[in-house]
Amino acid sequence: MTQPSKQPLILAVDDEASNLQLLRQILQDHYRLVFAKDGQRALELARQEHPNLILLDVMLPGMTGYEICRELKADSGTAAIPVIFVTALSDPADEVIGFEAGAVDYITKPLSPPIVRARVRTHLSLVRIDELRETRLQIVQRLGLAAEYKDNETGLHVIRMSHYARLLGVAAGLNEAEADDLLHAAPMHDVGKIGIPDRILQKPGKLDADEWKIMQSHAAIGAEIIGEHTHGMLRLARNIALSHHEKWDGSGYPKGLKGEEIPLEGRIVAIADVFDALTSARPYKRAWPLEEALNYLREQRGQHFDAALVDLFLAQIEQIDAIRLRWAEQDAVKEEAAEAPPQ
């Protein structure tokens, strides 16, 4: 049996004790409940208790439910709490006002217990889905950062190149949802470096043939870490990890794919990844000036990179450079460290 402390917490707000008692009877077997009879107390409890959901009457003393809802949504600490209006006001115009105030649902009195339970359950499920999505996204981002730290990076690389990739994805025709998936998947591009020995990954000189073969295996290792997925952001992340070192002319790895055999997301991330590597300071090199990096992309059109995507990237250069400059100060600090004489 679920422990009471694990049950979702619901804040019920109504100035009529009989209405609060009815909500208690409907919900107490499955949820923890706190109650308020006016707007000020409702706001205090919302900020103190952080309920999972708020059931809110409209006609209240002092503040209306609409005003309370607007104030909740204006506060970053309570904005994400779903609000369901529970009211005797049944005019469609009142419902419109409620939704415009930020509510997720609108239940009219007299209350039907099955309807109240169903609506509460539905919106708490949606909150749970959002929490799981956010947790999954954070795990993906942290794994991406782990690979960068192992490779003597600061984590700024995955931030910049992910934003470059999103911008290029939109230019290439991705819709906003697809572009956001690309933004969130791109940090996983080099996660396979977690499986590469430090003696190779951090070797200051050129890798020999055997070492280079091991280094190349990070693409397949990354795909294995991410795993097989039928759809969604993790499927995109796997494709990127496996294909972002492929080259348009077929000379890349791990599969030697050529042209449009390379997934679009892999071709996009290849450009974003190389551009950021060129324009960023590393322990072993200075950052290339912007124009030199762009010239390299131009030279590699149709060889390393998809020519059409290079052209789209160059057409977005003002926005690309704005992303680059956003982290220029951090890179400058890193570049100074790279140039410092050994102690």
Side-chain angles (χ1 to χ4, degrees), residues 58 64-70 85 89 94-95 97-98 101 106:
V58 173
T64 69
Y66 300 140
E67 291 169 329
I68 296 168
C69 188
R70 292 188 191 101
F85 280 115
L89 299 177
D94 295 312
E95 291 191 36
I97 295 171
Y106 196 98

Side-chain angles (χ1 to χ4, degrees), residues 182-199:
L182 181 59
L183 172 72
H184 299 318
M188 294 283 280
H189 68 294
D190 273 342
V191 70
K193 288 182 177 179
I194 292 172
I196 303 300
D198 287 349
R199 63 180 175 81

Side-chain angles (χ1 to χ4, degrees), residues 315-335:
Q316 307 291 319
I317 194 56
E318 288 187 9
Q319 293 167 275
I320 294 290
D321 201 36
I323 295 170
R324 182 179 69 89
L325 292 175
R326 192 179 306 169
W327 287 279
E329 183 177 344
Q330 291 95 322
D331 268 346
V333 171
K334 185 175 179 181
E335 188 171 354

